[in-house]
Amino acid sequence: MSTEKNTPSSPSLNFIEEIIEADLAAGKYQNIVTRFPPEPNGYLHIGHAKSICLNFGLAQKYKGYTNLRYDDTNPVTEETEYVDSILADVQWLGFQPANIYYASDYFEQLYDWALKLVKAGKAYVDFSSPEQIAEMKGTPTEAGKDSPYRNTSVEENLALLERMRAGEFKDGQCTLRAKIDMAAPNMHMRDPIMYRIKHAHHHRTGDKWCIYPMYDWAHGQCDSIENITHSICTLEFIPHRELYDWYIDSLDIYPSHQYEFARLNLSYTVMSKRKLLQLVNEQFVSGWDDPRMPTISGMRRRGYTPESLRDFAQRIGIAKRENMIELSLLEFCIREDLNKIALRRFAVLDPLKVVITNYPEGQTEWLESENNPENPETGTRKLPFGRELFIEQEDFMENPPPKYFRLHPGGMVRLKSAYIIRCDNVEKDADGNITAVHCTYFPESRSGQDTSGLKVQGVIHWLAAEHAKTATVRLYDRLFTVEDPAAEEDFKQCLNPESLRVIENALIEPALAEVSAGDRFQFTRLGYFCVDPDSTAEKPVFNRTVTLKDSWAKVSKKA
RNA sequence: UGGUCCAUGGUGUAACGGUAGCACAGCAGAUUUUGGUUCUGUUUGUCAGGGUUCGAAUCCUUGUGGACCAACCA
């Protein structure tokens, strides 16, 4: 009588893992085989990442393997650009497909099987128009009607199918349909189309074929050919399962099984390829890899790490319930990872000049500052300090509210890794705008050897004017202003006009002068930033991945 | 108005007939040379009504609510 459940060593399983463990325990399989089956008609997004982590993760956990299979059954929407990006994204996420296959690899086999169904009297060629087929299909509440071509003889159907393949018919002139049940409550069972005619160039098979299999006529058999044990897809395919099984049964081939889980929905973004394509085509974003996009390539460019995405996929779980994940969870995952690995650097985005009136003119001191307090092994770097400095506009207020710990007239702050300063007075232009603040510093308060005995509440970052370099900084924010843009009449009406703010002349410390694309840093007190490929030797470009949590913003907003 | 799937704090996700737990978010506090991190504490939940049972989030049933299904898309 042991109570093994709920021990920390046996974390709970999701429903697919339960199915797999039951299958394994029953000896149904020795090992499992899964597949990730994207259609190469767009870039992968964070929802695909959930599926990738699920499929590859399951295979790793249960000692099986995962195939990448491009579901390329529709030549008019599919392109090699997408094929390439998909593999790159899967690998970047940290997974290696056991095999890379294409549904189009199996076109000949599929055709043979179609012949088999025709011979068995289970498929027929239908010359009805798309409108007529839709008409005869009925509705969810009324049965459909049989097509007049439904009882064509096997011999004639065979000849017709061969002529379809041979290219004797025009696009849309006829289709091959499975003969199932026009009165089935499941619409997908009302004589589904197996082949349609498209005289179109296929990215792999070229002009070899002019008939192309529909999703249902391809997917299950591809799974079967590859001996996929657990074919995992999203909820909207539930009604397809009956047909999936019908084809496999009718063909008497390896019985793969389909299981469905709820797709990811993330707040403040859209997740459909169609909508993402619109954003790209209509140039609301710079491309599929625009850092505001929820695509894997966009998130990579934004600075997300593969680890953070895998962690996110793990945390959101797998279930059958429709869900809307809060963006804050994703942000938590990337902050948690970056906090551990990103080196700290100083940058001033919105500069305000500070003159240390009691610091010698022309003098520069090189001070040490930690690279990452979370990981002392990363050591320190040198920061120049001088008489003229820049701080953030935000870090000074002439008339501060209560609890404002930063610089203000008569107040003191610590310049991080440097000295404590006190603000003595401000310099203004004719319009009354503050152009500089004058401070005195306390030489004995130097960081690491402070004997001043002074206590300050605020610590701010800063840059020596003489040594500051410039950079372009792109501040990204959520792409949409509403939680669920897809639920709106027109999702494009909800685009966030402030989703990107570009700062052309941000100031950065010298240690940031030479960086390469993909490098990630924490700009102290500002957030995490990633070097963009647009960077040049003269001027680096930094993308803000995510801000730091800002509890002062909350406090000051409330006041 | 046919069929299918689903329903646990604000958001996700566990509990497999026996104390409703975890994470994120929120709130409060401690620490802090990042108003970051870390640590501590804490508010909030089983859709509703019947039934089975000593005992129901869990099983049955009826409602209610949501999602999906009528592309020659996947």
Side-chain angles (χ1 to χ4, degrees):
Chain A
M1 270 295 171
S2 69
T3 51
E4 282 184 13
K5 64 174 183 176
N6 295 336
T7 58
S9 57
S10 62
S12 61
L13 305 175
N14 65 50
F15 79 98
I16 294 178
E17 292 171 325
E18 285 181 353
I19 290 167
I20 290 173
E21 295 204 354
D23 287 345
L24 259 14
K28 194 166 166 185
Y29 308 109
Q30 296 310 108
N31 61 318
I32 67 162
V33 185
T34 58
R35 105 266 92 119
F36 173 62
E39 181 187 14
N41 67 346
Y43 280 64
L44 261 27
H45 53 62
I46 177 85
H48 292 109
K50 176 183 183 182
S51 173
I52 291 167
C53 291
L54 208 215
N55 279 293
F56 283 88
L58 249 18
Q60 282 172 358
K61 180 170 181 177
Y62 296 105
K63 314 275 183 274
Y65 62 87
T66 306
N67 293 339
L68 170 60
R69 184 175 69 237
Y70 294 99
D71 215 338
D72 56 350
T73 57
N74 187 355
V76 305
T77 56
E78 296 154 5
E79 296 174 19
T80 52
E81 176 196 348
Y82 298 133
V83 169
D84 297 339
S85 75
I86 287 168
L87 209 214
D89 288 347
V90 169
Q91 291 175 328
W92 177 79
L93 258 187
F95 299 105
Q96 188 54 45
N99 303 285
I100 297 174
Y101 294 133
Y102 296 78
S104 54
D105 293 341
Y106 311 127
F107 279 178
E108 198 66 51
Q109 173 65 264
L110 254 12
Y111 182 79
D112 285 346
W113 280 333
L115 255 20
K116 183 174 171 179
L117 281 199
V118 171
K119 286 174 189 159
K122 289 181 175 176
Y124 61 98
V125 174
D126 194 331
F127 286 85
S128 305
S129 69
E131 297 71 30
Q132 288 170 321
I133 287 182
E135 175 69 30
M136 289 185 289
K137 198 142 207 166
T139 68
T141 53
E142 320 161 60
K145 290 193 282 281
D146 286 1
S147 163
Y149 300 91
R150 203 171 197 260
N151 294 312
T152 309
S153 72
V154 167
E155 294 68 31
E156 196 173 342
N157 277 322
L158 237 25
L160 254 13
L161 177 55
E162 275 161 17
R163 290 175 60 200
M164 275 176 69
R165 178 180 180 169
E168 292 186 28
F169 304 116
K170 294 202 216 28
D171 285 11
Q173 195 175 345
C174 60
T175 57
L176 182 72
R177 291 230 259 168
K179 191 197 266 193
I180 306 180
D181 178 5
M182 289 307 291
N186 181 347
M187 299 292 289
H188 294 273
M189 301 301 280
R190 322 246 262 226
D191 288 14
I193 291 170
M194 294 164 62
Y195 280 109
R196 73 292 213 185
I197 297 173
K198 281 177 191 280
H199 290 271
H201 190 83
H202 186 278
H203 74 112
R204 296 208 95 216
T205 60
D207 298 313
K208 182 176 180 192
W209 294 85
C210 63
I211 58 172
Y212 290 94
M214 296 288 290
Y215 166 84
D216 291 297
W217 174 242
H219 205 95
Q221 294 92 294
C222 293
D223 286 341
S224 179
I225 291 167
E226 296 177 17
N227 280 23
I228 302 299
T229 55
H230 301 264
S231 176
I232 301 165
C233 61
T234 48
L235 256 27
E236 63 271 27
F237 289 93
I238 288 176
H240 294 252
R241 189 175 60 227
E242 190 179 357
L243 181 54
Y244 181 104
D245 291 338
W246 189 90
Y247 282 137
I248 283 178
D249 285 349
S250 302
L251 262 15
D252 191 25
I253 55 180
Y254 179 83
S256 297
H257 291 283
Q258 174 183 304
Y259 303 93
E260 311 87 8
F261 71 100
R263 71 183 327 143
L264 167 67
N265 293 295
L266 228 202
S267 62
Y268 298 102
T269 192
V270 292
M271 209 65 87
S272 93
K273 273 198 225 171
R274 204 191 101 256
K275 290 194 174 70
L276 295 176
L277 182 62
Q278 269 185 70
L279 294 177
V280 173
N281 286 344
E282 295 168 32
Q283 295 176 21
F284 290 105
V285 295
S286 64
W288 284 100
D289 69 343
D290 185 299
R292 291 167 293 182
M293 292 281 272
T295 51
I296 293 176
S297 52
M299 295 177 75
R300 172 169 60 229
R301 190 167 177 183
R302 174 87 167 245
Y304 278 85
T305 60
E307 290 77 12
S308 68
L309 261 28
R310 280 188 250 123
D311 181 40
F312 176 70
Q314 188 62 235
R315 285 170 184 271
I316 59 179
I318 298 295
K320 300 187 76 159
R321 191 184 333 170
E322 295 285 339
N323 60 78
M324 175 69 77
I325 306 291
E326 290 177 348
L327 189 58
S328 59
L329 180 62
L330 218 209
E331 293 184 336
F332 168 83
C333 292
I334 187 57
R335 284 191 187 111
E336 187 180 57
D337 191 24
L338 259 16
N339 179 49
K340 288 181 305 193
I341 63 174
L343 300 186
R344 298 317 91 140
R345 294 290 182 262
F346 287 178
V348 174
L349 305 185
D350 193 10
L352 172 64
K353 192 196 241 178
V354 169
V355 180
I356 311 291
T357 52
N358 62 335
Y359 195 88
E361 268 182 73
Q363 180 175 317
T364 296
E365 269 179 277
W366 289 82
L367 304 171
E368 289 212 334
S369 188
E370 60 212 346
N371 277 327
N372 185 346
E374 302 300 313
N375 183 2
E377 286 178 22
T378 56
T380 61
R381 89 282 190 184
K382 298 276 194 189
L383 271 170
F385 184 86
R387 190 169 197 268
E388 292 203 349
L389 310 172
F390 287 111
I391 64 171
E392 296 289 347
Q393 293 272 2
E394 262 193 357
D395 290 337
F396 175 82
M397 281 187 94
E398 196 174 16
N399 300 297
K403 300 262 186 71
Y404 185 81
F405 299 162
R406 284 113 96 146
L407 196 61
H408 55 90
M412 295 189 294
V413 289
R414 150 113 24 219
L415 296 175
K416 186 169 168 60
S417 301
Y419 299 93
I420 291 173
I421 58 171
R422 185 188 61 224
C423 173
D424 301 317
N425 52 62
V426 304
E427 204 177 287
K428 294 182 181 180
D429 64 15
D431 300 324
N433 300 311
I434 297 170
T435 52
V437 305
H438 291 193
C439 300
T440 51
Y441 87 117
F442 299 90
E444 64 285 6
S445 68
R446 183 170 160 153
S447 197
Q449 50 205 69
D450 184 349
T451 56
S452 70
L454 297 170
K455 289 275 177 286
V456 294
Q457 288 190 104
V459 179
I460 64 176
H461 61 282
W462 52 275
L463 249 25
E466 190 192 346
H467 296 86
K469 311 282 185 208
T470 61
T472 298
V473 171
R474 297 173 179 161
L475 301 178
Y476 293 103
D477 199 353
R478 53 186 58 159
L479 228 200
F480 293 91
T481 55
V482 299
E483 258 199 24
D484 188 7
E488 301 290 317
E489 336 67 54
D490 180 6
F491 75 105
K492 287 174 290 185
Q493 291 299 307
C494 312
L495 282 159
N496 178 6
E498 286 155 25
S499 61
L500 170 60
R501 184 179 143 218
V502 180
I503 298 175
E504 286 299 348
N505 289 297
L507 301 175
I508 55 176
E509 66 167 275
L512 240 22
E514 283 183 28
V515 292
S516 36
D519 289 353
R520 300 182 182 91
F521 300 95
Q522 182 196 100
F523 289 176
T524 299
R525 299 209 307 132
L526 296 177
Y528 296 98
F529 293 76
C530 182
V531 180
D532 191 86
D534 286 346
S535 299
T536 62
E538 300 74 48
K539 201 175 184 191
V541 177
F542 293 93
N543 297 330
R544 185 173 68 194
T545 310
V546 65
T547 61
L548 256 27
K549 271 173 71 176
D550 188 353
S551 45
W552 167 244
K554 276 181 204 161
V555 174
S556 59
K557 201 182 285 179
K558 264 190 226 167

